[in-house]
């Protein structure tokens, strides 16, 4: 059965996602429409806010090893969170594979996610999973400032992300305001400093005429190419761009600046997964989560997508500091669950074209 959005303007306004365009999601991996299927039928439907190019090979590995077919719908994490809320218990999704903890928390607050087994969530440190077991992190990523080393001397790099509203950065900062990682970062400002601080930051950023891009990859490419000096991204996009260009991250002109001293700009978030309540007893869905926390998938995240593994014993990417060495802000990822309010705030700031 195909997924119908059946959305109304009132519902979209209520979820705070109207300005970001909830649209029909990407094609399923088999080219057909998602089908709710039946428990333990060797078929699961995954709503993936992770980029298809990044994660499709991993989903294929899961199918090869387990014989469980994955029907995947790709869209932005915010779009899929809104779609799940709209669909409610009619959703054909078995699992939500999200780019950030905030979106998972948003869906969990609606009572849509099942409690994962303790033996599953226990594989991951408490920092990177839901307190109530509704979701679990699969990989971690740090917010960073990517900069062109030929244009910005290391001595001139800002000590805080809030310095980017200074006039000296006017027209020099690239952002992707519709990206889930940027939305989670703004939510982190709201959590750590309050809504007014977040509004002031967004207003200052807007007044500084940022260069808006539709993706973090584009930001890193443009910084590396010299068309913009700096940009706010997640660390792993440097690895992705290097791979696309057939080189190493160390060889790029683009470099990573990790904001020091627990600055909000150094937020470490997770991509994670939650299982829909209707699939709570589906062994296929559980197998999917367990595979993603297994050594092969964790190694894939480190080596293929340049993210930090969240299960101990798997080394992280070589071009970034170890996860344990990062000076991160004192923010509980469980508190990043007000995606709707953040999206509304970003939209009202005028950053979204």
């Amino acid at each position: 059965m195909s997924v119908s959005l059946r959305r109304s303007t009132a519902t979209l306004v209520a979820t705070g996602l109207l300005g970001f365009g909830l649209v029909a999601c990407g094609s399923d991996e088999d080219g057909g429409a998602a089908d709710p299927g039946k428990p333990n039928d060797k078929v699961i439907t995954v709503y993936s806010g992770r980029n298809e190019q990044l994660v499709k090979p991993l989903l294929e590995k899961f199918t090869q090893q387990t014989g469980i077919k994955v029907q995947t719908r790709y869209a932005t994490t915010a779009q899929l969170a809104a779609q799940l809320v709209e669909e409610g218990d009619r959703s054909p999704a078995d699992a939500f594979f999200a780019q950030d903890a905030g979106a998972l928390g948003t869906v969990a607050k609606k009572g849509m996610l099942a409690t994962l087994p303790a033996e599953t969530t226990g594989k991951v440190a408490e920092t990177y999973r839901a307190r109530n077991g509704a979701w679990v992190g699969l990989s971690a990523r740090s917010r960073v400032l990517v900069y062109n080393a030929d244009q910005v001397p290391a001595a001139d790099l800002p000590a805080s992300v809030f310095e980017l509203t200074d006039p000296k950065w006017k027209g020099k900062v690239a952002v992707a305001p519709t990206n889930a990682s940027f939305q989670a970062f703004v939510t982190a400002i709201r959590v750590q400093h309050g809504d007014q601080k977040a509004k002031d930051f967004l207003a200052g950023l807007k007044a500084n005429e940022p260069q808006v891009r539709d993706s973090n990859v584009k930001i890193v490419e443009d910084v590396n190419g010299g068309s913009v000096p700096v940009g706010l991204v997640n660390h792993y996009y440097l690895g992705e761009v290097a791979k696309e260009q057939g080189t190493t991250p160390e060889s790029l002109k683009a470099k990573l600046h990790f904001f020091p001293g627990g600055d909000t700009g150094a937020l470490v978030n997770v991509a994670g997964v939650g299982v829909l309540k209707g699939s709570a007893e589906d062994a296929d869905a559980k197998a999917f989560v367990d595979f993603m926390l297994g050594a092969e998938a964790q190694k894939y995240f480190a080596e293929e997508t340049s993210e930090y593994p969240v299960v101990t014993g798997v080394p992280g990417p070589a071009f970034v500091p170890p996860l344990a060495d990062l000076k991160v802000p004192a923010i509980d990822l469980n508190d990043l669950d007000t995606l709707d309010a953040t999206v509304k705030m970003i939209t009202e700031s005028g950053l979204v074209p």
Side-chain angles (χ1 to χ4, degrees), residues 69 75 194 275:
K69 182 180 179 181
V275 172

Side-chain angles (χ1 to χ4, degrees), residues 255-273:
K255 306 298 179 183
L256 301 182
H257 173 54
F258 291 79
F259 290 102
D263 187 74
T264 317
L267 174 71
V268 170
N269 203 344
V270 293
V273 65

Side-chain angles (χ1 to χ4, degrees), residues 281-303:
E281 303 302 322
D282 191 339
D284 297 338
K286 181 180 184 301
F288 176 72
V289 178
D290 288 339
F291 173 83
M292 290 294 178
L293 291 173
E296 182 172 6
Q298 291 293 297
K299 185 177 179 181
Y300 179 93
F301 288 130
E303 297 181 355

Side-chain angles (χ1 to χ4, degrees), residues 72-121:
T72 316
R73 285 193 170 273
Y74 293 99
T76 71
T77 288
Q79 287 172 337
L80 290 171
Q83 183 171 350
L84 284 166
V85 171
E86 171 68 12
E87 291 171 346
D89 59 11
R90 297 177 291 104
S91 180
D94 295 298
F96 180 28
F97 187 7
Q99 188 176 338
D100 76 283
L104 287 162
T106 296
V107 176
K109 280 206 309 186
K110 298 295 182 180
M112 297 184 65
L113 299 182
T115 301
L116 297 170
E119 64 267 22
T120 296
T121 59

